Amino acid sequence: MAHAASSTQQPVRAAVAAFIGTAVEFYDYYTFATAAALVLGEIFFPSHDPFLSTMASFGTFFVGFIARPLSGAVFGHLGDRVGRKKMLVLTMFLMGIATTGIGLLPSYATIGIWAPILLVLLRILQGIAVGGEWGGAVLIASEHAPPGRKTFFASFPQMGSPAGLILSLLAFRFVTSLDHASFVSWGWRLPFLASFVLLLIGMAIRLGVKESPEFERVRNTNAAAKYPVAEVLRTAWYPILLAAAATTIGSAGFFFTNTFMISYATAWLGMSKSFILDCLFVVTIIQLLSQPVSALLAQRFGETRFLCCAAVLSMVTPYPMFLLVQTQNAVAIVAGISFAVVTLSAIYAVIAGFITPAFPTRMRYSGISIAYQLCTMIAGGTTPLIGTMLAQRFSGQWLPLAAFFSVLSFVTLVGVVGLGRYKRNQLAMAEWAPPSGRNA
């Protein structure tokens, strides 16, 4: 009886641990993103031109994304060889140390060029940590899930993203209430230093979760891939590209509506930092509540159909979003951004469960990590930079920005359609394969 109860509780425990751990990691990541939009340019890249300082700050933000595909490959290899749980504990430790270190960094005025150099190095460490985090968190939740509920359980680590953002926005809402001199001097550091406390909480929770049962079965039967990264790149490069395309708006969209939108609202529309942060805080709560609903709907009506509908809607949403943001009315801003965020977060909630079955268990960590981190480097990390350049080039006009958002959504639509077809073909081949499986 005790064993049966433990077996029943473990999927829930794994999902909750994936959610809380991912929330802590994304708190760290979004803390850097928010600080990049608000203050890091002034602290580490001082210039007479605020545009140049902002671009340098977002450039440092992008550096973290460069490390993510390589990190995804390294942690994917280790996760497929050694286990999912050990990698999740290691990535959380690395993220907590990097984020706390940023909070302790001296400014450019204090140590000169070493300040931005050290900032870049710690940002790379953040990228390494989150590059290995996502795939492990998704698998520890989905591979513990009961049959028929993998999409819903895989959405739990996805909810860690808005939860981490809520924590980050709360932290910055508190410190931006300080006068400007205090905020620039020491206030901006507090959200980074708080990461150490969250690190201890997250580590304690993750250490209490068992290894994935699907991975254990592969390991116990000696079926683990010897070189999973090499194998997945050789045999599954096509689904990797499709999965990367399918995750585009789910990754890049958040950096558009959160990171870039802070800069756009303050620099081009003249809103106060605290005002736009308050609006985004409400939007993120709506996102957090909507994501599990999206996962349940996708599980009910079919993932491919649901994702295609969400991607088409996401192509339309930026136009009313910008029209409402231009009013500078709090209710209108929340409504406009929420409209866009609910549609793209519907994709984000479901995409993990959608792409995971495209790869066999023995090289699954490697496959989904490489695909997702490739997408985040190309689309996610460049989105604030491209948005800032478009706003500067077109004097803050919103139509080119909305068109850019639509293009990102269209790439996702293409990826979803292609990967859905690929999975159907693979299933058909498996059903028609001879008993020996030689042609499977």
Side-chain angles (χ1 to χ4, degrees):
M1 290 291 290
H3 177 72
S6 175
S7 299
T8 303
Q9 294 170 2
Q10 191 59 211
V12 176
R13 186 180 300 169
V16 171
F19 163 67
I20 294 176
T22 306
V24 173
E25 292 240 14
F26 274 96
Y27 165 82
D28 291 358
Y29 216 69
Y30 281 125
T31 292
F32 190 99
T34 306
L38 291 176
V39 72
L40 293 186
E42 185 176 351
I43 299 296
F44 293 97
F45 307 98
S47 170
H48 295 298
D49 187 346
F51 169 72
L52 295 178
S53 294
T54 301
M55 287 296 291
S57 181
F58 281 149
T60 307
F61 175 70
F62 173 63
V63 165
F65 286 87
I66 296 176
R68 287 174 66 166
L70 178 59
S71 170
V74 171
F75 281 102
H77 171 87
L78 294 173
D80 283 327
R81 293 287 301 166
V82 179
R84 283 67 160 123
K85 176 183 172 178
K86 292 177 182 177
M87 296 306 103
L88 288 179
V89 172
L90 178 57
T91 56
M92 173 161 284
F93 176 77
L94 292 176
M95 178 64 88
I97 294 301
T99 307
T100 304
I102 292 171
L104 297 172
L105 274 183
S107 67
Y108 185 92
T110 303
I111 61 171
I113 192 64
W114 282 105
I117 290 174
L118 291 172
L119 179 68
V120 168
L121 291 176
L122 289 172
R123 176 60 182 160
I124 290 173
L125 186 57
Q126 274 195 327
I128 291 172
V130 83
E133 156 71 20
W134 183 84
V138 166
L139 294 183
I140 207 73
S142 66
E143 290 181 350
H144 272 97
R149 303 200 67 193
K150 290 187 179 294
T151 296
F152 180 65
F153 275 72
S155 72
F156 273 75
Q158 305 296 76
M159 289 190 289
S161 176
L165 179 56
I166 287 171
L167 292 175
S168 178
L169 288 173
L170 281 173
F172 273 96
R173 182 63 185 88
F174 170 72
V175 296
T176 53
S177 64
L178 300 168
D179 62 86
H180 182 72
S182 298
F183 175 64
V184 171
S185 176
W186 55 269
W188 69 271
R189 299 179 183 276
L190 298 181
F192 288 92
L193 297 178
S195 172
F196 187 75
V197 178
L198 296 176
L199 166 65
L200 298 178
I201 296 171
M203 290 282 284
I205 293 170
R206 283 199 165 167
L207 286 170
V209 178
K210 294 181 180 179
E211 182 55 86
S212 151
E214 291 187 28
F215 172 77
E216 290 284 16
R217 282 195 292 272
V218 167
R219 182 164 58 182
N220 292 339
T221 56
N222 295 319
K226 188 174 183 180
Y227 302 107
V229 172
E231 184 174 335
V232 79
L233 289 175
R234 185 181 70 253
T235 64
W237 60 268
Y238 184 58
I240 285 176
L241 293 179
L242 291 174
T247 59
T248 298
I249 193 60
S251 171
F254 290 123
F255 296 111
F256 189 103
T257 57
N258 294 309
T259 306
F260 168 70
M261 189 59 76
I262 295 172
S263 176
Y264 177 78
T266 54
W268 277 277
L269 299 182
M271 298 182 197
S272 70
K273 295 173 182 177
S274 58
F275 177 75
I276 188 61
L277 287 176
D278 285 345
C279 292
L280 289 174
F281 177 72
V282 177
V283 170
T284 308
I285 291 176
I286 295 171
Q287 175 196 341
L288 180 61
L289 296 174
S290 72
Q291 282 192 199
V293 176
S294 297
L296 289 171
L297 289 173
Q299 198 167 264
R300 171 70 178 81
F301 296 106
E303 296 165 358
T304 304
R305 183 184 305 170
F306 179 87
L307 287 169
C308 286
C309 292
V312 171
L313 273 176
S314 195
M315 292 172 64
V316 176
T317 56
Y319 303 94
M321 175 180 72
F322 274 106
L323 284 172
L324 291 170
V325 168
Q326 300 296 312
T327 66
Q328 303 199 31
N329 174 272
V331 175
I333 291 172
V334 169
I337 300 179
S338 294
F339 186 31
V341 165
V342 166
T343 54
L344 72 90
S345 66
I347 298 170
Y348 184 70
V350 177
I351 203 68
F354 179 68
I355 70 174
T356 297
F359 303 94
T361 305
R362 64 199 304 267
M363 54 183 183
R364 184 173 290 158
Y365 200 140
S366 300
I368 67 172
S369 294
I370 292 171
Y372 184 78
Q373 304 308 339
L374 179 65
C375 167
T376 56
M377 183 189 73
I378 296 173
T382 60
T383 290
L385 284 167
I386 294 173
T388 302
M389 288 189 291
L390 287 173
Q392 178 75 7
R393 171 67 179 81
F394 295 99
S395 303
Q397 296 178 39
W398 63 265
L399 194 58
L401 297 169
F404 173 49
F405 192 100
S406 295
V407 169
L408 295 173
S409 302
F410 178 73
V411 172
T412 285
L413 178 62
V414 172
V416 167
V417 172
L419 192 61
R421 187 173 299 166
Y422 172 84
K423 288 165 62 179
R424 287 194 299 274
N425 291 341
Q426 292 297 107
L427 181 61
M429 289 173 61
E431 290 175 347
W432 285 98
S436 66
R438 258 178 272 176
N439 295 329

